[in-house]
């Protein structure tokens, strides 16, 4: 047999569907529902974007002036590339939406970076992410996020390069990717 | 719900993450057959394949908030599935080693083909003759119609190594198929 014949035979054989177990999808969905309960996914059918913005708007409108309390954070070592810290700096309760958000400020020290953003599940891993703003005096980059309690996976994008500072807690997911972990709430 | 029939994977994921968990069934339905083709051919039996597929879909769901849109959901899910298949293969290998030492009759039961009515008995025998790495490469290449670059992203193996595995698999299959034709 030639390679072409083997290739054709393999393609035909391997691309043929195997018989589907009629109960398989139901079994998967039972486990998915159990996982959803465990993960406490929001119980709403509202589009995610609209809901998130609404919550954020409520959170900010609720007068979370504690954003300005960032000065209580202990400063990291200046000039150390990729040093990052995070701290919860305020709470907001949007009771009508049954969601509690905490305002979390992420700090990233890198005096040589030209652009720093953070991507994570909280911003749907958007290509541009959430841009951090640089303080001209300290060279520290920062962004404030409104996050639910729980463990959030995220990464920084420094000048277009996905970056996880070595000092941060990391997690290797089933898909092989490595993420930084941010614990919010209890 | 009708408009979701043609919705992109990304749109469905957005709905799931916003709390409409039942929408995930659409992703299961959409990708199940492809996952089954890969898992059954990688693992060689339906029972283990079902376990791998279930685990992959559930793990994908649990990690959905870390799914990055820059990658196709299909490729992301396949990577998770392949990792599950590898774990099960490793577990099976250890289990068979244990039975080889203690219970040859039990090993025969485990090694027996589960579905003898399969339309491709020669295919299964052919795949069995390959190493796990060669088998994985051949299955991804031809069951899922992936390019070597896509395979590299899924398996974490370089394209050159993957091409070599497929070439060696072909060499092995050429011998085996020749033997079959002369039986």
């Amino acid at each position: 047999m030639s390679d072409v014949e083997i290739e054709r035979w393999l393609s035909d054989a391997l691309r043929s569907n195997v018989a589907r177990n009629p109960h398989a999808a139901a079994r998967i969905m039972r486990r998915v529902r159990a996982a959803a309960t465990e993960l406490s996914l929001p119980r709403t059918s509202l589009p995610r974007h609209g809901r998130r913005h609404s919550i954020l708007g409520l959170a900010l409108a609720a007068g979370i002036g504690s954003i300005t309390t960032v000065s209580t954070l202990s400063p990291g070592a200046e000039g150390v590339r990729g040093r990052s810290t995070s701290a919860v700096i305020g709470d907001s309760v949007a009771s009508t939406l049954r969601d509690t958000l905490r305002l979390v400020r992420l700090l990233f020290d890198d005096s040589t970076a030209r652009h720093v953003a953070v991507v994570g599940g909280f911003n749907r891993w958007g290509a541009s992410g959430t841009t951090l703003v640089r303080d001209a005096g300290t060279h520290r980059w920062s962004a404030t996020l409104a996050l639910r309690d729980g463990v959030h996976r995220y990464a920084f994008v420094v000048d277009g390069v996905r970056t996880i500072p070595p000092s941060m807690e990391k997690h290797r997911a089933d898909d092989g990717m490595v993420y930084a972990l941010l614990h919010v709430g209890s | 719900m009708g408009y979701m029939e043609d919705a992109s994977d990304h749109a469905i994921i957005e709905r799931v993450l916003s709390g409409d968990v039942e929408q995930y069934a659409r992703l299961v339905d959409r990708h199940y057959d492809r996952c089954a083709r890969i898992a059954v051919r990688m693992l060689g039996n339906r029972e283990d394949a079902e376990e791998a597929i279930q685990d992959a879909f559930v793990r994908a769901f649990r990690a959905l908030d870390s799914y990055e849109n820059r990658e196709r959901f299909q490729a992301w899910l396949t990577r998770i599935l392949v990792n599950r298949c590898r774990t099960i293969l490793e577990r099976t290998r250890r289990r068979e080693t244990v039975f080889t030492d203690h219970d040859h009759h039990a090993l025969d039961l485990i090694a027996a083909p589960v579905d003898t009515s399969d339309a491709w008995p020669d295919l299964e025998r052919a795949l069995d003759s390959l190493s796990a790495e060669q088998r994985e490469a051949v299955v991804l290449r031809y069951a899922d119609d992936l390019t070597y670059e896509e395979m590299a992203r899924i398996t974490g193996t370089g394209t050159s190594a993957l091409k070599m595995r497929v070439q060696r698999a072909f060499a092995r299959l050429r011998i085996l198929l020749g033997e079959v034709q002369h039986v």
Side-chain angles (χ1 to χ4, degrees):
Chain A
M1 269 191 175
S2 69
D3 279 358
V4 173
E5 286 173 311
I6 293 175
E7 194 165 42
R8 189 180 303 129
W9 172 72
L10 275 174
S11 294
D12 290 344
L14 289 172
R15 285 176 195 165
S16 64
N17 278 341
V18 297
R20 185 188 280 219
N21 180 336
H23 306 295
R27 286 178 186 151
I28 291 170
M29 286 308 294
R30 272 201 296 275
R31 290 180 60 185
V32 163
R33 290 184 197 104
T37 303
E38 190 182 317
L39 293 170
S40 299
L41 278 184
R43 300 266 179 209
T44 173
S45 59
L46 289 174
R48 182 178 179 81
H49 289 130
R51 189 173 55 80
R52 182 169 57 209
H53 291 165
S54 297
I55 294 172
L56 183 57
L58 275 178
L60 295 175
I64 310 304
S66 53
I67 286 176
T68 56
T69 63
V70 70
S71 58
T72 60
L73 292 173
S74 57
E78 295 294 338
V80 178
R81 186 174 182 92
R83 181 184 173 88
S84 170
T85 57
S86 63
V88 177
I89 58 175
D91 291 337
S92 72
V93 179
S95 58
T96 56
L97 293 172
R98 301 195 310 174
D99 278 305
T100 300
L101 297 179
R102 295 178 195 272
L103 295 181
V104 176
R105 172 152 285 191
L106 292 178
L107 302 174
F108 191 89
D109 285 335
D110 188 339
S111 59
T112 61
R114 284 171 297 173
H115 184 270
V116 179
V118 60
V119 293
F122 40 77
N123 58 22
R124 300 295 305 120
W125 300 93
S128 55
T130 301
T131 301
L132 277 69
V133 177
R134 184 186 188 195
D135 183 288
T138 64
H139 303 300
R140 170 174 286 170
W141 299 80
S142 68
T144 301
L145 306 171
L147 301 177
R148 289 193 190 90
D149 284 358
V151 182
H152 299 268
R153 303 180 202 194
Y154 70 106
F156 288 102
V157 181
V158 181
D159 296 333
V161 178
R162 183 188 172 107
T163 302
I164 299 176
S167 61
M168 296 172 71
E169 182 183 358
K170 300 176 189 67
H171 168 72
R172 181 177 292 280
D174 289 324
D175 61 4
M177 295 290 283
V178 177
Y179 307 91
L181 295 181
L182 175 61
H183 297 265
V184 177
S186 54
Chain B
M1 188 172 286
Y3 78 96
M4 291 299 288
E5 297 291 344
D6 299 322
S8 67
D9 286 351
H10 174 68
I12 295 173
I13 289 167
E14 287 287 320
R15 290 288 298 266
V16 173
L17 286 172
S18 71
D20 194 353
V21 174
E22 295 305 313
Q23 289 295 331
Y24 195 72
R26 299 191 179 282
L27 292 177
V28 174
D29 185 61
R30 186 175 289 182
H31 294 283
Y32 185 90
D33 288 339
R34 191 180 55 79
C35 288
R37 281 201 304 273
I38 295 170
V40 169
R41 271 68 192 249
M42 269 187 72
L43 297 171
N45 74 77
R46 293 294 300 268
E47 189 176 321
D48 285 346
E50 290 286 352
E51 179 188 341
I53 297 164
Q54 274 194 37
D55 285 353
F57 273 112
V58 174
R59 283 168 182 260
F61 173 78
R62 298 180 74 95
L64 211 53
D65 70 339
S66 62
Y67 163 65
E68 301 186 37
N69 294 330
R70 63 183 177 183
E71 181 181 31
R72 285 189 306 162
F73 176 75
Q74 176 175 321
W76 185 68
L77 177 65
T78 304
R79 195 157 68 232
I80 295 173
L81 177 66
V82 168
N83 283 336
R84 291 307 302 156
C85 288
R86 286 173 172 176
T87 300
I88 289 173
L89 279 172
E90 179 62 22
R91 185 188 68 195
T92 304
R93 189 186 64 76
R94 284 200 301 269
R95 185 175 61 189
E96 290 184 349
T97 301
V98 171
F99 280 123
T100 299
D101 290 342
H102 299 97
D103 189 342
H104 290 279
H105 177 64
L107 177 59
D108 288 342
L109 291 177
I110 291 170
V114 171
D115 184 3
T116 54
S117 65
D118 193 288
W120 306 97
D122 290 337
L123 171 70
E124 189 50 46
R125 182 184 166 194
L127 293 176
D128 272 345
S129 73
L130 306 178
S131 71
E133 290 179 339
Q134 291 169 355
R135 182 171 181 145
E136 178 182 288
V138 164
V139 168
L140 290 176
R141 176 79 174 139
Y142 296 104
D144 205 22
D145 204 18
L146 296 176
T147 65
Y148 281 107
E149 287 71 25
E150 289 172 320
M151 290 166 63
R153 281 194 292 274
I154 287 169
T155 62
T157 305
T159 55
S160 299
L162 289 168
K163 287 176 183 173
M164 183 63 71
R165 287 174 189 176
V166 171
Q167 283 176 8
R168 287 180 175 159
F170 271 42
R172 181 78 190 102
L173 291 174
R174 197 178 302 117
I175 295 170
L176 184 75
L177 291 170
E179 290 172 355
V180 169
Q181 287 185 334
H182 289 95
V183 169

